[in-house]
Amino acid sequence: MSDKISRMAAHLPLNAVRAFLAAARRQSFTLAAADLHVTHGAISRQVRSLEDYLGVALFERRVRQVRLTAAGQQFLAEAGPALDQVAAAARQVMAQASGRAVRINVRPTFAVRWLIPRLSDFVAQYPGIEPQILTSIAPPNAPDLSYDIAIRRGLENWPDTLGMHPFLEDEALLVGAPRLMRDVTEPAALASLTLLLAKTRRADWEDWKKHLGIRRLRPKAQILFDHSHFVLQAAIDGLGYTIAPVSLLANDLTDGRLVCPLPDLRLPMVRYYYGVHPSASSETHLFSRWLDSQARKPATPA
C-alpha cells in the first residue's frame, strides 16, 4: 500500500492541485482563472482531472457557483499549507542563489518614468547589490508574482503577509509641450486641443474636471493609448495635452519637455505604498530605506 501511495504522489498533477487551491480559496472558478491568468475552462478541466485522479468530487457544481465538498475541504486544509511550504522553500533557494540581488516589482510606466531615472543613485551607494526590475500590471497579490519588494498605488490587493509602508504622495496635473500650452491660460482653451488618454488611467480627465467643477468642458478630439508612458511621449511630441501624475512627470517638467500651464488646478491622487516580503534580505531593507530617502525629496513643482 505504501508503495502505491508513493507512486501516486510521484505522479500527482501539481498544476491541477494549484488550480484547485486557487478555486477553493476563492470559491469561484472565474476568480481563480483571473488570479492564475488562464481561462475559466482551463480551471474547470484541471479541477476535473484532479477529481478523476483522486477518485472523489472536490466541488459541488451549481449554477454560477461552486462549493467545496467534505473531501474538498479536507484536501484544501491539508494540501494548501503543504504547497505554500513548497513555494516558500523555492523562494528561499532562489534568494540564496541570487546572491545580493533585490527583485523590485513595479508597473512599467513607473519603472520608466520614476524608478530607472533615479536608480543610478542606489547603484552608486550600494555597488555590491544588483537591483532586478520586474515590471507587471498584475496586482501584487497575483499568485504568479515573485519579488522582494513591490510598489503600487493604494492598499488594495496586497498579500496579507507583506509589511506595508507608505511611500509617495501624488497628484495629477494638466501638462503638454511648451509650444502647445503657450496660450492656455484657462481651462476653456483646452476645447480647441486634443486630449491624450491611457487605457490604464482614462478616468483621470473626468476626475480632474469633476474636482474643479468644469464637467462640461470637452476637447476638440482625443487619442487613446495602452499605457501612460506612451501618452507622456505623445504629449512631449506635441500631439496633445493630458492629465498625468506628478510622480511620472518630474524629470520632464524639470527639463522643460512638458509644462503645466495651470499649476493651481491639481487633482489629489491615491498615494503609493511599497510592500516588503516577510523573509526579505538585508539588501532589500537597504533598498527600502533608499526608497524612503527618495520619497523625502520634494517633487518638482510645475
Side-chain angles (χ1 to χ4, degrees):
M1 178 63 74
S2 61
D3 289 342
K4 181 179 179 181
I5 293 175
S6 296
R7 288 195 298 271
M8 289 183 64
H11 296 92
L12 184 67
L14 291 179
N15 284 338
V17 174
R18 185 163 169 259
F20 162 77
L21 291 176
R25 286 166 172 167
R26 296 287 250 161
Q27 292 290 294
S28 167
F29 285 7
T30 300
L31 294 177
D35 288 345
L36 298 183
H37 305 288
V38 298
T39 64
H40 179 283
I43 294 291
S44 181
R45 287 191 296 272
Q46 291 279 19
V47 171
R48 182 69 71 183
S49 71
L50 182 61
E51 290 175 322
D52 291 342
Y53 180 84
L54 297 175
V56 295
L58 300 172
F59 286 99
E60 296 176 10
R61 288 154 173 88
R62 304 180 180 183
V63 178
R64 297 185 179 179
Q65 185 181 14
V66 292
R67 180 175 295 179
L68 285 169
T69 63
Q73 292 174 357
Q74 179 183 357
F75 193 67
L76 172 62
E78 298 182 9
L83 203 61
D84 291 341
Q85 187 174 358
V86 171
R91 285 194 297 267
Q92 186 173 0
V93 170
M94 290 170 63
Q96 292 171 352
S98 62
R100 302 195 68 195
V102 178
R103 297 167 301 158
I104 308 133
N105 187 282
V106 293
R107 292 177 67 92
T109 300
F110 189 84
V112 172
R113 293 281 170 174
W114 192 93
L115 182 56
I116 293 174
R118 293 166 171 78
L119 204 55
S120 60
D121 180 79
F122 176 80
V123 173
Q125 290 187 49
Y126 305 102
I129 301 176
E130 175 191 346
Q132 298 178 355
I133 312 303
L134 313 172
T135 62
S136 173
I137 62 172
N141 63 353
D144 290 339
L145 291 190
S146 179
Y147 52 81
D148 299 309
I149 191 167
I151 303 172
R152 293 289 192 279
R153 286 192 190 275
L155 286 170
E156 296 182 356
N157 300 316
W158 287 94
D160 295 335
T161 55
L162 261 59
M164 301 303 302
H165 303 265
F167 185 35
L168 293 174
E169 295 185 348
D170 208 1
E171 54 191 354
L173 299 174
L174 167 73
V175 294
R179 64 182 182 278
L180 190 69
M181 298 287 99
R182 187 177 300 115
D183 298 325
V184 177
T185 57
E186 58 181 359
L190 301 174
S192 63
L193 301 174
T194 297
L195 170 65
L196 308 176
L197 289 174
K199 290 181 181 178
T200 52
R201 300 213 58 86
R202 64 192 309 165
D204 286 352
W205 168 245
E206 294 299 329
D207 290 345
W208 183 78
K209 291 194 301 176
K210 179 181 178 180
H211 182 68
L212 300 173
I214 50 174
R215 294 190 182 187
R216 295 186 178 182
L217 178 63
R218 295 288 182 271
K220 179 183 71 173
Q222 69 179 44
I223 303 174
L224 186 64
F225 296 85
D226 282 339
H227 296 291
S228 295
H229 53 276
F230 298 141
V231 168
L232 294 175
Q233 187 58 53
I236 290 170
D237 292 337
L239 200 57
Y241 67 91
T242 191
I243 306 297
V246 172
S247 60
L248 307 180
L249 294 172
N251 289 332
D252 295 314
L253 292 171
T254 299
D255 296 340
R257 292 185 292 269
L258 292 173
V259 296
C260 175
L262 305 172
D264 294 331
L265 305 186
R266 299 171 177 243
L267 172 68
M269 302 188 74
V270 175
R271 78 180 302 160
Y272 286 95
Y273 291 79
Y274 67 82
V276 179
H277 195 276
S279 61
S281 63
S282 58
E283 288 79 13
T284 301
H285 289 296
L286 286 173
F287 187 82
S288 72
R289 287 200 287 272
W290 176 80
L291 285 177
D292 291 337
S293 72
Q294 295 298 306
R296 288 192 293 269
K297 294 182 178 180
T300 302

